[in-house]
C-alpha cells in the first residue's frame, strides 16, 4: 500500500483535506491487482465569519462539511482467480480397487476490487455555551462490482469462485445529540442518536439470485434491498379447530 494525506486550514474558517490509498492485493490476478482510492473533504465554519459574530456570541458554533471518497474491498478467499483441484481418496471403484478422484473449482481471472463511492454532507452546531451539540449527516453510498458467489445448478458438478456481479445504492441520514451538564466539580454527558438508511440493488447479473442457508432463504433482485428475506407470506394463525374446518371447506369449494 501507498498512503498519502494533505490538509490545509485558513483562519479557522475553511478546511480542505485530501487522502489517497494505492493498494495492491494478491487475491486478484496481476492485471487487476492494484486499485487507487482517493477521498476529499471540505469544511466551512460559518460562525467564524464576521457577519455571524453575534450568532456565535449568543447561540454557538455552526459548521458545514462535505466529503466524497472511494473505498476498495478485497474480502475474499485467496487464489480464487485460479482454478483449483482437490483430491478425494476412494472416490470410485475400478477393477475392485478404490481409486482416488478429484474435484475442482473454476477460477475467475477477471476478479477485481469491489469499490464503494461515498458522499457525505453534514452540519455541526452547538448551543447554550457549547453545552448542547447537534450534528446531522446525510450519506449516499454506491457500491459497484460487488463480490458475490454465484448460484449454479447442482448438475454443473462443481462450484464457482466469487465474481463481480452487482451494484447497489445505500442512502440515509443520522442525527446525533450530546449534552454536557456541570454539577460542582463533575461533568455529566448525555448522548443520543437516531438514523435511517435504505438500500436497493441497481444491477445484478441474471437480475436475481436466491440463496438458502440454515433454512433461511434470501433473494438478491434488481429493485429490492440487497439480500432480502424470501419466503411465503403468512395471513395468520388458526385459533381453533372450527377455523381449520371452515378453511378446508372454503378451499375445497363446499357451500
Amino acid at each position: 500500500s501507498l498512503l498519502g494525506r494533505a490538509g490545509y486550514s485558513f483562519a479557522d474558517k475553511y478546511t480542505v483535506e485530501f487522502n489517497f490509498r494505492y493498494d495492491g492485493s494478491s487475491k486478484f490476478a496481476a492485471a487487476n491487482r492494484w486499485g487507487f482510492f482517493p477521498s476529499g473533504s471540505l469544511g466551512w465554519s460559518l460562525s467564524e465569519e464576521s457577519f455571524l459574530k453575534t450568532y456565535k456570541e449568543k447561540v454557538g458554533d455552526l459548521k458545514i462539511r462535505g466529503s466524497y471518497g472511494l473505498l476498495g474491498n478485497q474480502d475474499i478467499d485467496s487464489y480464487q482467480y485460479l482454478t483449483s483441484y482437490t483430491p478425494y481418496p476412494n472416490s470410485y471403484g475400478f477393477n475392485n480397487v478404490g481409486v482416488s478422484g478429484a474435484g475442482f473449482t473454476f477460477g475467475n481471472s477477471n476478479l477485481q476490487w469491489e469499490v464503494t463511492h461515498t458522499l457525505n454532507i453534514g452540519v455541526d452546531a452547538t448551543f447554550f455555551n457549547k453545552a448542547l451539540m447537534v450534528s446531522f449527516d446525510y450519506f449516499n453510498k454506491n457500491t459497484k462490482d460487488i463480490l458475490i458467489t454465484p448460484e449454479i445448478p447442482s448438475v454443473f458438478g462443481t462450484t464457482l469462485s466469487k465474481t463481480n456481479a452487482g451494484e447497489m445504492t445505500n442512502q440515509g441520514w443520522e442525527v446525533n445529540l450530546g449534552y454536557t451538564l456541570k454539577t460542582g466539580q463533575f461533568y455529566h454527558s448525555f448522548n443520543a442518536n437516531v438514523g435511517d438508511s435504505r438500500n436497493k440493488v441497481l444491477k445484478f447479473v441474471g437480475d436475481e439470485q436466491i440463496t438458502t442457508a440454515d433454512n433461511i432463504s434470501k433473494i438478491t433482485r434488481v429493485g429490492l434491498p440487497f439480500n432480502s428475506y424470501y419466503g411465503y407470506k403468512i395471513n395468520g394463525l388458526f385459533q381453533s379447530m372450527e377455523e381449520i374446518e371452515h378453511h378446508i371447506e372454503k378451499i375445497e369449494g363446499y357451500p
Side-chain angles (χ1 to χ4, degrees):
S1 295
L2 178 64
L3 313 175
R5 173 181 293 178
Y8 180 74
S9 176
F10 177 74
D12 292 329
K13 300 179 183 179
Y14 317 107
T15 55
V16 180
E17 186 172 287
F18 173 76
N19 303 271
F20 77 88
R21 295 180 61 98
Y22 187 56
D23 292 330
S25 173
S26 59
K27 293 185 177 181
F28 304 115
N32 301 317
R33 186 154 294 168
W34 291 90
F36 180 65
F37 309 110
S39 64
S41 62
L42 298 172
W44 181 21
S45 297
L46 281 78
S47 54
E48 298 297 326
E49 298 287 354
S50 58
F51 58 84
L52 285 180
K53 181 179 180 180
T54 302
Y55 177 91
K56 182 177 181 179
E57 293 175 349
K58 296 184 177 181
V59 180
D61 296 326
L62 180 62
K63 181 179 181 180
I64 299 176
R65 50 186 167 75
S67 63
Y68 183 83
L70 278 61
L71 181 64
N73 174 35
Q74 47 100 48
D75 186 18
I76 59 175
D77 293 335
S78 300
Y79 309 118
Q80 292 201 38
Y81 63 91
L82 299 173
T83 297
S84 60
Y85 297 85
T86 304
Y88 297 103
N90 300 321
S91 294
Y92 58 94
F94 181 77
N95 197 23
N96 295 322
V97 177
V99 180
S100 298
F104 65 97
T105 300
F106 275 120
N108 181 0
S109 60
N110 295 318
L111 277 176
Q112 57 186 356
W113 288 86
E114 174 183 308
V115 182
T116 299
H117 302 245
T118 303
L119 169 69
N120 186 283
I121 299 174
V123 178
D124 300 320
T126 61
F127 305 91
F128 309 122
N129 196 25
K130 298 184 179 182
L132 175 64
M133 183 277 294
V134 180
S135 67
F136 172 82
D137 285 272
Y138 166 80
F139 63 88
N140 190 326
K141 297 181 179 180
N142 192 306
T143 304
K144 300 181 179 181
D145 297 321
I146 299 175
L147 293 163
I148 300 175
T149 302
E151 291 288 318
I152 58 174
S154 58
V155 295
F156 191 68
T158 185
T159 58
L160 295 179
S161 301
K162 296 277 188 179
T163 185
N164 300 97
E167 177 180 347
M168 76 172 184
T169 182
N170 191 319
Q171 55 184 325
W173 56 270
E174 183 177 17
V175 176
N176 288 280
L177 301 174
Y179 185 76
T180 301
L181 177 65
K182 181 180 180 181
T183 54
Q185 300 298 318
F186 296 93
Y187 289 87
H188 304 276
S189 297
F190 304 89
N191 297 278
N193 69 327
V194 61
D196 186 33
S197 64
R198 301 288 178 90
N199 74 73
K200 182 172 66 174
V201 177
L202 302 179
K203 295 180 183 178
F204 190 77
V205 176
D207 290 331
E208 71 176 30
Q209 173 178 293
I210 300 173
T211 58
T212 302
D214 299 326
N215 296 320
I216 298 176
S217 296
K218 295 183 179 181
I219 184 171
T220 299
R221 175 186 290 171
V222 174
L224 294 181
F226 183 74
N227 264 349
S228 298
Y229 287 107
Y230 180 77
Y232 292 108
K233 291 184 177 180
I234 299 175
N235 291 327
L237 299 175
F238 291 115
Q239 301 298 318
S240 65
M241 191 64 193
E242 288 75 15
E243 288 187 4
I244 297 176
E245 294 173 349
H246 176 72
H247 182 73
I248 293 175
E249 292 176 355
K250 183 177 179 181
I251 62 177
E252 292 183 351
Y254 290 108

